[in-house]
Amino acid sequence: KNQVEQSPQSLIILEGKNCTLQCNYTVSPFSNLRWYKQDTGRGPVSLTIMTFSENTKSNGRYTATLDADTKQSSLHITASQLSDSASYICVVTLFSGGYNKLIFGAGTRLAVHP
Amino acid sequence: NAGVTQTPKFQVLKTGQSMTLQCAQDMNHNSMYWYRQDPGMGLRLIYYSASEGTTDKGEVPNGYNVSRLNKREFSLRLESAAPSQTSVYFCASRGQGMNTEAFFGQGTRLTVV
């Protein structure tokens, strides 16, 4: 079954600290992996997208890694800010029946405290 | 730069009532989607439209209908709302190509009582 699992479910860190969010997937055939940030009451916004040939991709203080062999990805946030408080969603693209289907994880809810 | 616009933002319905959620995008994207987001779960695809004039069911289509009115607009209709349809609904659009970014609207929070 095509699934995307994220851990932890929720996380609290202090402002300025780093954190790493995990994503494991069983999606096949795999096209790409995306990380989205979703602020409370808003729609998801794309942070990074990686194909199977890419190991790492950065977007400012966000760095995503991908290990296509172990089917794991992580999102590392450096020097966290209060504005990083949000849900972070891992999304894997499955190519099936001529259509690219996005498989969403349930997200990790991050709270950054002063 | 509007992107994907959804209306309304909030809605309360009584069981059995009908309503249409509107979505419009101004990025000239071919593909448009409707998702629902429930607590503790990932977004689940209700319906999608790969191009103007075509629509297909996603993983949770029961109780919903859609219309791809033109390239810009993709509406979601609940004919007879049920409490199980209480959720946050997101419309999204995406351009051509496997690795293109998907853009989401702000969401519609629907409560069915």
Side-chain angles (χ1 to χ4, degrees):
Chain A
K1 186 177 178 183
N2 293 306
Q3 286 186 313
V4 177
E5 295 186 352
Q6 294 186 243
S7 60
Q9 273 190 323
S10 61
L11 181 63
I12 300 173
I13 62 174
L14 293 177
E15 187 178 12
K17 297 297 185 183
N18 304 334
C19 68
T20 300
L21 314 181
Q22 301 291 343
C23 173
N24 296 333
Y25 62 93
T26 58
V27 177
S28 181
F30 164 88
S31 294
N32 55 56
L33 186 144
R34 309 159 188 253
W35 283 94
Y36 282 85
K37 178 186 180 187
Q38 185 177 21
D39 292 313
T40 300
R42 315 277 286 188
V45 175
S46 179
L47 292 175
T48 64
I49 177 169
M50 291 181 291
T51 63
F52 67 89
S53 61
E54 295 176 291
N55 301 116
T56 185
K57 184 162 278 189
S58 293
N59 178 358
R61 294 179 297 101
Y62 301 101
T63 299
T65 64
L66 173 63
D67 185 333
D69 292 330
T70 61
K71 297 188 176 181
Q72 295 179 323
S73 177
S74 65
L75 181 69
H76 186 74
I77 304 175
T78 304
S80 60
Q81 300 176 358
L82 297 179
S83 59
D84 292 330
S85 295
S87 286
Y88 292 85
I89 304 173
C90 177
V91 185
V92 179
T93 302
L94 164 70
F95 184 73
S96 174
Y99 165 66
N100 291 314
K101 180 181 178 182
L102 303 182
I103 312 292
F104 289 78
T108 291
R109 185 175 295 276
L110 175 66
V112 180
H113 290 182
Chain B
N1 54 343
V4 179
T5 303
Q6 286 182 240
T7 56
K9 191 157 181 152
F10 301 95
Q11 184 71 48
V12 178
L13 291 178
K14 293 182 179 178
T15 297
Q17 286 186 316
S18 62
M19 78 161 295
T20 299
L21 282 64
Q22 306 287 351
C23 175
Q25 52 93 7
D26 61 3
M27 296 171 282
N28 202 36
H29 287 163
N30 286 326
S31 300
M32 297 186 73
Y33 311 82
W34 276 105
Y35 293 93
R36 61 178 288 172
Q37 186 176 39
D38 299 296
M41 301 179 71
L43 274 74
R44 292 181 293 166
L45 182 64
I46 303 171
Y47 271 93
Y48 68 97
S49 171
S51 62
E52 184 180 354
T54 68
T55 61
D56 286 285
K57 294 179 180 179
E59 55 185 303
V60 288
N62 291 344
Y64 306 95
N65 284 302
V66 290
S67 295
R68 183 74 182 266
L69 305 169
N70 47 55
K71 192 169 188 179
R72 289 187 65 247
E73 298 172 290
F74 188 39
S75 62
L76 178 71
R77 182 159 178 85
L78 286 71
E79 290 291 352
S80 179
S84 60
Q85 294 178 304
T86 293
S87 188
V88 181
Y89 292 85
F90 288 98
C91 177
S93 73
R94 202 159 72 90
Q96 292 285 84
M98 197 174 300
N99 299 322
T100 52
E101 185 176 334
F103 293 86
F104 289 82
Q106 298 297 288
T108 296
R109 184 172 293 276
L110 174 68
T111 302
V112 183
V113 297

